[in-house]
Amino acid sequence: MITRFAVSPAMTRLIVAGAGVRAVKAAEMAVSGRVKHFAGSQFFVAGETDTYIVDIAAGSCSCPDGHAPHDANGRKLCKHMIAAMLSGEEV
């Protein structure tokens, strides 16, 4: 179980390099307060038209972008997942 999730500066650079424009949009969401910790490893992330549930530990997001690239651990790297990872919110 994850007790705290933190993204190192090196990991942040890798996320941005690998996800491109998606990562830029995610960073904008993270810094604008659109990411809220819900419970455990789950976050609410306000998208452009809806609010999605991201579970970092499960590597899932409720958004329709089910074909997003995956990282080495099988996590979907949609912009909502990246925003939750970059938010710095305590888990």
Side-chain angles (χ1 to χ4, degrees):
M1 182 172 157
I2 295 175
T3 56
R4 184 177 187 283
F5 189 83
V7 178
S8 70
M11 181 59 83
T12 301
R13 288 191 295 279
L14 287 173
I15 291 169
V16 171
V21 173
R22 180 177 285 143
V24 172
K25 291 180 180 180
E28 290 171 353
M29 283 191 257
V31 299
S32 66
R34 294 167 53 189
V35 178
K36 301 295 180 199
H37 181 238
F38 172 59
S41 61
Q42 296 180 340
F43 293 81
F44 290 126
V45 180
E48 294 173 18
T49 60
D50 207 348
T51 297
Y52 302 103
I53 299 171
V54 171
D55 188 330
I56 292 175
S60 65
C61 178
S62 64
C63 77
D65 190 9
H67 300 291
H70 291 70
D71 72 4
N73 296 316
R75 292 186 194 113
K76 294 177 186 174
L77 289 178
C78 66
K79 63 187 175 186
H80 312 105
M81 174 70 73
I82 297 169
M85 294 169 74
L86 296 175
S87 72
E89 290 274 336
E90 293 288 326
V91 176

